[in-house]
Amino acid sequence: DAGVIQSPRHEVTEMGQEVTLRCKPISGHNSLFWYRQTMMRGLELLIYFNNNVPIDDSGMPEDRFSAKMPNASFSTLKIQPSEPRDSAVYFCASSLMAGLAEYEQYFGPGTRLTVT
Amino acid sequence: GENVEQHPSTLSVQEGDSAVIKCTYSDSASNYFPWYKQELGKRPQLIIDIRSNVGEKKDQRIAVTLNKTAKHFSLHITETQPEDSAVYFCAASLGGATNKLIFGTGTLLAVQP
C-alpha cells in the first residue's frame, strides 16, 4: 500500500491566488482528516469526512477555506484567496472507522504552503 | 471546548536515561489515546496507543499509562537513544460516535549522546 498520498509536496504562491491541495487516502479507509500545522498553533484539525460526508468543519478558519470529497479516493482543500498567514504544513490523514471503535490515523507526507 | 494539555513542551535527557511526557484531557467520554512521533520535516507517526479499558501498555522501550479517574495519561521512554529525538504528540478521542482526535501541543525531546 502506498499510504496516504498528498500533492503538491510544496507550494509557493502569491497572496490572493487560489490554492488547491489534494489527498488520496489509503484504500479501504472511510475517514479522512485535514490538519494544519504551524509553530504557533500546533496541529489543528480543519475538517473531517466519514464516508465522503463532511462531519465536522468547525476547525475551518474562514470562508476562504473549503474542502470536498467527491469520492472515497480523493479529497481537496481549497484556499481562495490565499493570505500570508495561511502559510503552514497541511496534512491529510485517513483511518478506518467501524462502529464506535477508533483506529490509527495515518498521515500523508504533508504539503508545505508558502504564501508571499 | 474539549482540550488536551501536554507537558513539558521541551525535554532534554542524556542517552540511556528515561523520558516521561504527561498529558491531561477534559472529555470524560474519551476512550482512545494515541501517541505520535514526528521527526523534523516528516509526518506524525503512531508509536503506541491505549484504550480506556487498559491501564498500561508496553512495547519494547516505550510504555503508556492511563489514569481515567484523573484524566491523565503518560508516555514513558526508557534507555533513550539519539534517534528518539523528535516531537511527540499525545491525543485523545472525543466521546460519542466520532473518530475525531484532539492533539496536545507537542513535546520536543532531545536526547544528548
Side-chain angles (χ1 to χ4, degrees), chain B residues 36-99:
Chain B
Y36 284 81
K37 175 184 180 182
Q38 185 177 26
E39 297 176 353
L40 185 63
K42 302 287 184 64
R43 73 191 80 185
Q45 291 192 296
L46 181 79
I47 55 171
I48 195 168
D49 57 13
I50 191 168
R51 300 182 188 276
S52 59
N53 57 345
V54 175
E56 183 173 0
K57 184 175 178 181
K58 189 173 182 179
D59 183 2
Q60 298 183 334
R61 294 187 298 108
I62 60 173
V64 58
T65 59
L66 172 64
N67 181 331
K68 284 220 72 177
T69 302
K71 297 183 194 172
H72 289 170
F73 58 115
S74 301
L75 178 71
H76 304 253
I77 306 174
T78 58
E79 301 173 22
T80 54
Q81 302 168 2
E83 52 265 38
D84 295 330
S85 297
V87 177
Y88 291 81
F89 292 94
C90 62
S93 64
L94 280 187
T98 174
N99 51 350

Side-chain angles (χ1 to χ4, degrees), chain A residues 59-112:
Chain A
M60 296 286 262
E62 300 169 32
D63 290 345
R64 299 183 296 106
F65 286 69
S66 62
K68 294 182 179 180
M69 192 164 186
N71 57 63
S73 59
F74 184 65
S75 176
T76 59
L77 177 68
K78 185 176 294 186
I79 308 172
Q80 165 65 13
S82 58
E83 297 183 3
R85 60 196 167 114
D86 301 331
S87 298
V89 179
Y90 291 80
F91 287 104
C92 175
S94 72
S95 74
L96 174 65
M97 182 175 182
L100 294 180
E102 292 86 5
Y103 294 89
E104 176 180 358
Q105 290 187 19
Y106 292 82
F107 283 76
T111 295
R112 181 173 296 277

